Amino acid sequence: MSVTHTAETNPWLTTGERMVYDNPWIRVTEYQVIRPSGNPGIYGVVHFKNLAIGVVPMDADGQLWLVGQYRYPLKAYSWEIPEGGGPLDVDPLISAQRELLEETGIRADRWDLILTMHLSNSVSDEQAFVYLATGLSYHDSQPEETEQLQLRRVSLDAAYADVVEGRITDSISVAAILRLMLMKKENRLIYG
């Protein structure tokens, strides 16, 4: 059996583009393209004007904090790690610190980047940065006007069970919890 290897170059040719939609958070562009097969087509891309930011606040007992909120696009309630957006030209760590305080009232002494990921790379350029926040102190939260939040303190094992059983489905939260469980199994998870 032979395997064909292709170069890691762009096989797409863009022949035109038009902006379809634009608001303060996203821009949708339709591109006229020549596909890798050589045939003409279109490709829609959602450009995100912010980075996606996720934070797992973990206390000295190894418990983490989840945020519950109603997610308008899903028309469903969602439990997830604290997350939000950060401007493209701002250090993601600064945005993570702001998001954690806004949503939970928590500040952290230690910040470790545990994950970067592209959230839906077939249709968008959205990039996520996920931090583990430890050395926690508790203050007043400052949620945005679009947020009606609940907080829940859970063990990593309980959060992992929620992921496995499909009760936590938010992609950043799923990836972060799986990453933390792997770090725990490899004895690389530091609480405190």
Side-chain angles (χ1 to χ4, degrees):
M1 178 165 109
S2 67
V3 177
T4 303
H5 295 279
T6 59
E8 293 183 9
T9 58
N10 182 1
W12 294 81
L13 175 62
T14 302
T15 60
E17 67 182 73
R18 71 179 181 94
M19 185 184 60
V20 178
Y21 178 77
D22 189 51
N23 71 27
W25 303 278
I26 64 170
R27 179 179 62 243
V28 179
T29 304
E30 179 183 275
Y31 293 93
Q32 294 74 45
V33 298
I34 303 299
R35 298 179 183 131
S37 66
N39 295 318
I42 60 171
Y43 207 112
V45 175
V46 180
H47 166 69
F48 280 79
K49 297 180 181 180
N50 286 296
L51 298 170
I53 304 294
V55 181
V56 182
M58 184 173 283
D59 65 26
D61 297 326
Q63 302 287 301
L64 55 96
W65 291 90
L66 297 179
V67 175
Q69 64 183 305
Y70 188 85
R71 287 297 191 177
Y72 187 85
L74 302 178
K75 302 204 179 342
Y77 203 82
S78 177
W79 283 99
E80 53 204 49
I81 65 172
E83 54 188 58
L88 297 173
D89 61 348
V90 171
D91 182 341
L93 176 58
I94 292 169
S95 296
Q97 292 167 335
R98 176 188 43 77
E99 280 296 330
L100 182 61
L101 183 62
E102 278 180 10
E103 293 193 356
T104 67
I106 296 174
R107 293 182 193 264
D109 292 332
R110 180 177 173 150
W111 292 83
D112 295 295
L113 180 65
I114 61 168
L115 184 63
T116 60
M117 58 190 278
H118 290 98
L119 298 181
S120 185
N121 64 6
S122 66
V123 295
S124 85
D125 62 359
E126 188 175 26
Q127 186 175 12
F129 293 82
V130 183
Y131 294 87
L132 173 62
T134 54
L136 307 182
S137 60
Y138 304 93
H139 310 272
D140 291 331
S141 63
Q142 304 159 4
E144 294 178 358
E145 66 177 328
T146 61
E147 298 172 324
Q148 187 176 41
L149 308 174
Q150 293 186 69
L151 295 178
R152 188 172 77 187
R153 184 176 178 254
V154 300
S155 68
L156 176 56
D157 290 339
Y160 177 73
D162 284 346
V163 167
V164 170
E165 296 297 323
R167 291 183 295 270
I168 292 178
T169 60
D170 169 71
S171 63
I172 296 174
S173 300
V174 168
I177 291 165
L178 293 177
R179 173 67 67 135
L180 288 176
M181 189 55 86
L182 178 62
M183 291 171 68
K184 179 181 175 181
K185 289 182 183 295
E186 294 176 346
N187 293 317
R188 294 186 302 120
L189 189 57
I190 300 169
Y191 311 152

